[in-house]
Amino acid sequence: MAETSGKFLAPPKALTARAEFWAGVRDETPLMFGVIPFGLVFGVLGVESGLSSLQTILLSSILFGGASQVVFAQLWAAGVPAFIVGGSVCVINMRHLLYSASMAIYLRPLSLRWRILLGYLLTDEAFAVSIRRFQHETPGPFQHFHLLGSGLLLWVGWQISTVFGVVVGETIPESWSLSFAIPLTFIAVVAPILKSRADLAAAVTAGSLAVIGQPLPWNSWLLLAAIGGILAGWLVHHFNQPAGGAA
Amino acid sequence: MIWLVMIAAGLFTFATRFIMLSNIISNRPPPWLVDALGFVPIAVLTAIIVPAVLIDPASQKIALGDNPRLFAAILAIVTALVTRQVITTIGVGLAALWLLQWAL
């Protein structure tokens, strides 16, 4: 790094750890409007699908990943064999590899303890705001506190809203169809990110396979649809690349 | 048993978040894997959405015409595209579902 610009060696005004932390909290705040309703819905659904209150609440800290928790609760409730439940959760959470790979250059220099903590806190939403800080703002010696701030706010919000959902969920009658809030939450996430033809191919394939695959044993339709959708998106993406482009 | 699966899945999930920060693997994942992983959210979430909307919970059959959840979902998609807000999308979708269930 000897040839790096002077800006890097002597940042104009390096932020303190505290300032980085609160910047992370502040940047994460707008995303909480999506996270808290989702946490509530998960809490309600977890209990509704037959998990105990304790299992539902602890799932939020053991898995700490919304979509995978929903899938875990629903598949487990349906009496699906453990390896299908586990396999589905794993496929859903594989995407985190991308996040930790992108974060690696910024976090590798930290101590093991820091990397374990920040790895645990590395979710979709925390990644989204903190990678922006790492890539686009002046590097600082305490920049990892930004991810600590965004990740911790998300973690606390997710735990509290789950507990709230569990408590409230026990009093909500079935006729309110509150479990429909799950597909609605996912619609809110997916609809705006469908941009390319490859995205559409992934969505259409996954959706179709999910319906066609319903009679399959052990609710394996989800795993089938997910893998099929990923494959379809990847194939369209791959063959749509301009000739001679990077493979 | 359920605890065992929970903890195993939790450990795996942690590994996906941590492994690239560790010194175990020093390379970035190959480009084909990066591309494929980019489609995981769309594929997984759509696979959860479509049956939840199209399949009638009582009869376990595909319902198109007489299906309030389908209309509510279409309204929710429009809301999501226009507002890009999770809470508004949930609100509009649930309100539409309740109204339709009550009216039909």
Side-chain angles (χ1 to χ4, degrees):
Chain A
M1 293 260 171
E3 75 285 5
T4 330
S5 68
K7 189 175 112 194
F8 180 84
L9 295 174
K13 242 184 270 162
L15 291 172
T16 61
R18 182 177 296 202
E20 295 275 12
F21 178 85
W22 288 111
V25 170
R26 199 184 50 231
D27 292 346
E28 188 66 36
T29 304
L31 279 74
M32 297 306 285
F33 288 99
V35 168
I36 288 174
F38 189 9
L40 282 171
V41 167
F42 170 72
V44 173
L45 176 104
V47 176
E48 229 176 60
S49 57
L51 297 183
S52 73
S53 301
L54 186 68
Q55 285 161 348
T56 306
I57 290 166
L58 284 184
L59 211 49
S60 275
S61 49
I62 294 177
L63 283 185
F64 191 33
S68 65
Q69 290 174 220
V70 168
V71 165
F72 186 100
Q74 287 185 332
L75 292 187
W76 193 270
V80 173
F83 73 97
I84 297 274
V85 180
S88 305
V89 167
C90 291
V91 169
I92 296 170
N93 284 333
M94 280 281 281
R95 71 184 184 287
H96 293 116
L97 278 176
L98 287 182
Y99 305 155
S100 64
S102 307
M103 283 284 178
I105 48 166
Y106 305 103
L107 304 182
R108 273 275 179 86
L110 298 173
S111 70
L112 182 64
R113 243 195 290 174
W114 265 106
R115 281 177 289 144
I116 288 176
L117 174 64
L118 294 179
Y120 172 68
L121 292 175
L122 194 55
T123 54
D124 304 77
E125 292 85 356
F127 173 79
V129 302
S130 288
I131 193 72
R132 222 174 300 158
R133 185 262 169 270
F134 294 152
Q135 288 178 341
H136 300 305
E137 286 168 49
T138 320
F142 300 111
Q143 58 183 3
H144 52 286
F145 276 83
H146 190 281
L147 179 56
L148 183 67
S150 62
L152 262 188
L153 176 66
L154 189 89
W155 190 86
V156 171
W158 185 244
Q159 306 309 322
I160 293 178
S161 55
T162 304
V163 172
F164 227 78
V166 166
V167 174
V168 174
E170 287 167 340
T171 65
I172 294 180
E174 187 95 13
S175 62
W176 285 20
S177 311
L178 211 64
S179 58
F180 193 61
I182 294 286
L184 290 173
T185 309
F186 293 161
I187 284 174
V189 176
V190 169
I193 59 170
L194 291 178
K195 287 186 179 135
S196 66
R197 235 184 303 175
D199 295 339
L200 282 176
V204 170
T205 308
S208 313
L209 286 176
V211 171
I212 297 167
Q214 288 293 317
L216 290 177
W218 313 322
N219 278 30
S220 46
W221 56 269
L222 180 63
L223 208 52
L224 171 86
I227 293 170
I230 294 164
L231 199 64
W234 186 83
L235 284 173
V236 171
H237 173 77
H238 192 73
F239 288 109
N240 257 349
Q241 298 220 337
Chain B
M1 181 61 177
I2 184 165
W3 290 106
L4 206 74
V5 181
M6 268 170 72
I7 290 166
L11 282 176
F12 179 88
T13 302
F14 172 73
T16 63
R17 290 169 166 152
F18 174 70
I19 197 147
M20 293 292 165
L21 307 179
S22 74
N23 299 319
I24 305 167
I25 296 184
S26 53
N27 296 328
R28 284 185 65 84
W32 65 266
L33 183 59
V34 172
D35 288 342
L37 290 176
F39 292 104
V40 170
I42 290 175
V44 168
L45 299 182
T46 311
I48 297 172
I49 294 166
V50 175
V53 169
L54 284 187
I55 294 176
D56 184 70
S59 68
Q60 293 293 313
K61 294 216 169 83
I62 297 175
L64 291 175
D66 185 24
N67 181 353
R69 278 164 302 120
L70 180 57
F71 293 105
I74 292 169
L75 259 177
I77 291 172
V78 175
T79 311
L81 289 175
V82 174
T83 69
R84 292 170 177 254
Q85 283 179 342
V86 176
I87 198 156
T88 318
T89 306
I90 296 179
V92 168
L94 277 182
L97 181 66
W98 290 334
L99 213 68
L100 285 164
Q101 283 178 335
W102 170 78
L104 293 175

